[in-house]
Amino acid sequence: MAEYGYFLSCEEFGPADLVEQARMAEQAGFQSLWISDHYHPWNDAQGQSPFVWSVIGALSEAVSLPIETAVTCPTVRMHPAVVAQAAATSAVMTQGRFRLGVGTGEALNEHILGDAWPPLHIRLEMLEEAIQVMRNLFTGDEVNHHGPHYTVENARLYTVPDEPVPIDISGFGPQATSLAARVGDGFVTMMPEEPMVEQFRKGGGGGKPVSGGTKVCYGQDRSEAVRTVHRLWSNQLLPGEMGQVLPSPRHFEQLEPLITEEMISENTVCGDDVDEHVAALSAFAEAGFDRVYVNQIGPDQRAFFDFYRTKVLPQLQQGSR
C-alpha cells in the first residue's frame, strides 16, 4: 500500500508559507513531507530559496509528519561533515521522523563558491564517499577520514538520534540507481518508471523504500493552470543534462521559449479533473513505489488541499487497500 505525502517547494515559497502548507498537508490527510534543498530557485519567477535546515527546525514544531529532504547535495556547497550535523539535529528534533535524501546535485546550487563542477562519474564517487563520512559521524564516535575527496579530523557529533539517519539516494539513470541499490537506505526518483524500481530492487535495494514525486497545478480554469505552470516551472520539461549543468537561473530563463504551453498541457496534470490527479499519483504506486509525493504549483494552495482532502486522497487510499 503506497503512502501519499506532500512536497514542499523551497524554490517557490518562503519559510512562513512552507510551514503553513505543512500544517494544511497534515490536516488534509497527507502522511509525510518532502522538502527541496536549493541555494537558488530555477528561475526568478519562482522567487524564493530559504535555507532548508532552518525551515525543518520550524516544521519539527509545527507538524508531527515525517520529513525528508528531496534532495540534499552533500558534496560541494556543503561538506558532508556539516550536512551530517544538520541531519542528525533534524532527526533529534523530529524524534526520529527525519530521512536524508541525497543526490549528485546541480551546478545551479553547487558551483556558487567557485568550485569546479565535476562530471557525473566523479560526482557519484563524491556522493558515495560523503555517505560513508556521514554514516560514520551518525554513530556519535570521533571520526578521522582521509579520502580522495574529503578530509575529516577529530570530528564527533554530540547530538545524534537513537538510530542513524536513513539516507535515501536519488537517481534518474542507471548509474545513480545502481549506487542507490548498493549503498542507499532507499531510492528516490521523479518518474513512475517500473524498470528503475526493478533495477534498484534487484541490484541490492530489496525491500527498501522507493519514493517518487510529481508536480500538479489544481485550479478550476485548466488553461489558467497551464499558464501558471508555464510561467513558474517550464524548467522541469527541459531535456537531457541541462538541469544538472546550467549555472544560474537566468540560463534556465533563456531556455523557456523551448517549452510551449502545449507541452505543459500534455505533460503536467492541470485543472480540477479528479481522475487525472488520481491517475498521476496511482501511476507511481502501480510501478512499485512505496511513497508518492505531490506538489501544488502556484498560489492557490488552500483550494488544492481542500480538493485533495475531500476528493483525491480518499480515492487514492481506497485504491491502495
Side-chain angles (χ1 to χ4, degrees):
M1 181 188 297
E3 174 184 293
Y4 294 93
Y6 188 70
F7 189 176
L8 297 165
S9 172
C10 283
E11 301 95 318
E12 198 183 331
F13 296 97
D17 284 337
L18 292 167
V19 172
E20 180 58 24
Q21 288 170 23
R23 290 194 182 102
M24 290 191 289
E26 186 165 37
Q27 292 163 4
F30 286 99
Q31 297 166 281
S32 53
L33 297 171
W34 261 4
I35 185 166
S36 56
D37 180 0
H38 270 234
Y39 195 89
H40 293 136
W42 297 97
N43 54 53
D44 282 2
Q46 291 171 0
Q48 293 285 340
S49 207
F51 189 54
V52 71
W53 303 105
S54 301
V55 180
I56 289 170
L59 293 173
S60 73
E61 292 295 305
V63 297
S64 61
L65 297 177
I67 302 165
E68 178 166 15
T69 53
V71 292
T72 293
C73 178
T75 58
V76 179
R77 169 171 48 106
M78 287 180 69
H79 192 284
V82 178
V83 176
Q85 186 183 24
T89 298
S90 297
V92 170
M93 292 186 73
T94 57
Q95 298 177 319
R97 290 178 285 106
F98 177 76
R99 298 180 77 90
L100 177 64
V102 299
T104 58
E106 304 93 14
L108 174 71
N109 304 300
E110 303 305 324
H111 86 293
I112 58 167
L113 303 179
D115 299 278
W117 185 236
L120 177 61
H121 72 281
I122 299 295
R123 301 202 313 267
L124 287 167
E125 283 181 14
M126 294 171 73
L127 182 60
E128 183 167 2
E129 186 179 343
I131 290 168
Q132 178 187 347
V133 168
M134 293 189 293
R135 284 195 171 130
N136 289 341
L137 286 163
F138 290 153
T139 65
D141 297 333
E142 182 177 300
V143 173
N144 291 279
H145 174 93
H146 297 274
H149 301 290
Y150 302 106
T151 297
V152 179
E153 292 186 353
N154 307 118
R156 178 185 171 191
L157 295 182
Y158 280 80
T159 300
V160 292
D162 293 336
E163 298 293 331
V165 180
I167 300 176
D168 297 340
I169 299 176
S170 171
F172 298 96
Q175 291 173 280
T177 304
S178 176
L179 177 65
R182 191 162 46 81
V183 304
D185 294 310
F187 179 46
V188 171
T189 192
M190 298 298 286
M191 295 295 292
E193 295 181 355
E194 191 171 353
M196 292 182 70
V197 177
E198 289 180 359
Q199 182 193 344
F200 171 75
R201 299 224 183 274
K202 292 178 180 177
K208 295 175 182 176
V210 176
S211 303
T214 190
K215 291 182 177 293
V216 303
C217 189
Y218 165 77
Q220 295 183 345
D221 184 332
R222 189 178 193 279
S223 296
E224 182 181 348
V226 169
R227 289 192 294 272
T228 297
V229 177
H230 188 259
R231 178 173 60 86
L232 293 172
W233 285 93
S234 292
N235 61 279
Q236 65 180 343
L237 293 183
L238 290 174
E241 295 182 68
M242 283 185 272
Q244 283 72 53
V245 301
L246 294 178
S248 77
R250 72 175 178 273
H251 293 103
F252 286 92
E253 290 166 2
Q254 290 167 10
L255 296 179
E256 284 175 3
L258 298 176
I259 308 301
T260 64
E261 288 187 9
E262 183 179 5
M263 292 166 66
I264 296 288
S265 181
E266 291 174 355
N267 291 280
T268 308
V269 174
C270 294
D272 60 357
D273 186 315
V274 177
D275 291 341
E276 281 190 35
H277 286 262
V278 169
L281 273 65
S282 296
F284 286 89
E286 291 164 4
F289 286 69
D290 302 290
R291 297 173 181 144
V292 187
Y293 294 81
V294 60
N295 169 254
Q296 163 71 357
I297 293 171
D300 206 358
Q301 297 288 319
R302 189 166 296 279
F304 163 85
F305 284 113
D306 286 343
F307 176 64
Y308 266 65
R309 175 178 57 83
T310 58
K311 296 183 177 178
V312 179
L313 288 177
Q315 281 204 36
L316 288 168
Q317 288 156 357
Q318 185 177 7
S320 62
R321 288 193 181 105

